[in-house]
């Protein structure tokens, strides 16, 4: 049972990494990633012994994150895939982990943006012969694949998730 639980708990880190890499290389986060995160949550939550009330709290946090993400999308601050990935990550992180997730995501997003600004200014000429996604990423004033920051924030906050805490204690 512990091996199965461990495999279920690995769903979240694996999928947010795939989402971040996909956003980095294509500027898109496919819906299947967020849907797979949502589908994987309940088996993982039940496997570690999360109560129905705790599962409800996780769902409420995710719904709140989705509403905030929709507002950010409407303001053109983030993409739709970013909003969905953020909400799906909050589903896994719950109330305890989501605060740290938002802090880490903001910090990683700021660092990533600074890196891109410097890379676009200093390295662009050297990278123009690279793969298409690198050339696109180096476009001055181009979009920023914020899924990278969301993935990093989720990975950094995951240890604060009640799912991991229950797995370690149980």
């Amino acid at each position: 049972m512990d091996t199965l639980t461990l495999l279920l708990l690995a769903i979240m880190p694996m999928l947010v990494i795939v989402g971040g890499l996909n956003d980095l290389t294509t500027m898109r986060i496919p819906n299947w990633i967020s849907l797979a995160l949502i589908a994987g949550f309940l088996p993982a939550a039940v496997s570690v012994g999360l109560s129905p009330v705790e599962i409800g709290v996780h769902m409420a946090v995710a719904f709140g994150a989705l509403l905030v993400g929709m507002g950010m999308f409407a303001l053109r601050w983030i993409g739709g895939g970013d909003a969905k990935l953020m909400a799906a990550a909050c589903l896994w992180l719950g109330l305890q982990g989501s605060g740290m997730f938002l802090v880490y995501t903001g910090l990683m997003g700021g660092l990533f943006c600074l890196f891109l600004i410097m890379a676009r200014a200093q390295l662009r000429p050297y990278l123009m012969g690279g793969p298409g996604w690198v050339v696109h990423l180096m476009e001055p004033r181009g979009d920023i694949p914020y899924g990278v920051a969301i993935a990093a924030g989720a990975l950094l906050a995951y240890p604060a998730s009640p799912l991991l805490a229950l797995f370690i204690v149980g």
Side-chain angles (χ1 to χ4, degrees):
M1 183 70 167
D2 279 347
T3 302
L4 176 60
T5 302
L6 194 56
L7 288 172
L8 290 170
L9 291 173
I11 290 171
M12 194 276 250
M14 288 188 304
L15 288 175
V16 296
I17 289 169
V18 169
L21 289 174
N22 213 310
D23 200 20
L24 181 67
T25 58
T26 67
M27 296 289 182
R28 293 195 63 231
I29 302 171
N31 287 334
W32 72 263
I33 294 171
S34 297
L35 290 172
L37 280 165
I38 293 166
F41 169 72
L42 191 57
V46 169
S47 180
V48 297
L50 217 59
S51 74
V53 170
E54 292 169 314
I55 291 171
V57 170
H58 279 251
M59 293 171 69
V61 169
F63 183 70
L66 183 61
L67 291 177
V68 170
M70 288 168 56
M72 293 170 73
F73 172 72
L75 294 169
R76 298 178 156 254
W77 292 351
I78 63 173
D82 299 326
K84 292 177 269 190
L85 184 62
M86 184 174 65
C90 283
L91 177 65
W92 282 78
L93 297 168
L95 198 54
Q96 294 89 332
S98 290
M100 292 306 300
F101 166 60
L102 296 176
V103 169
Y104 286 137
T105 299
L107 289 172
M108 293 289 104
L111 289 173
F112 186 58
C113 288
L114 286 174
F115 169 77
L116 273 182
I117 289 168
M118 290 189 306
R120 288 172 176 172
Q122 302 296 319
L123 301 177
R124 187 170 186 264
Y126 305 107
L127 299 173
M128 295 315 292
W133 68 270
V134 173
V135 172
H136 183 70
L137 188 63
M138 290 298 117
E139 286 295 319
R141 300 190 190 278
D143 289 338
I144 295 172
Y146 209 72
V148 173
I150 294 168
L155 292 172
L156 290 168
Y158 197 37
S161 168
L163 278 75
L164 286 186
L166 285 170
F167 177 72
I168 292 167
V169 170

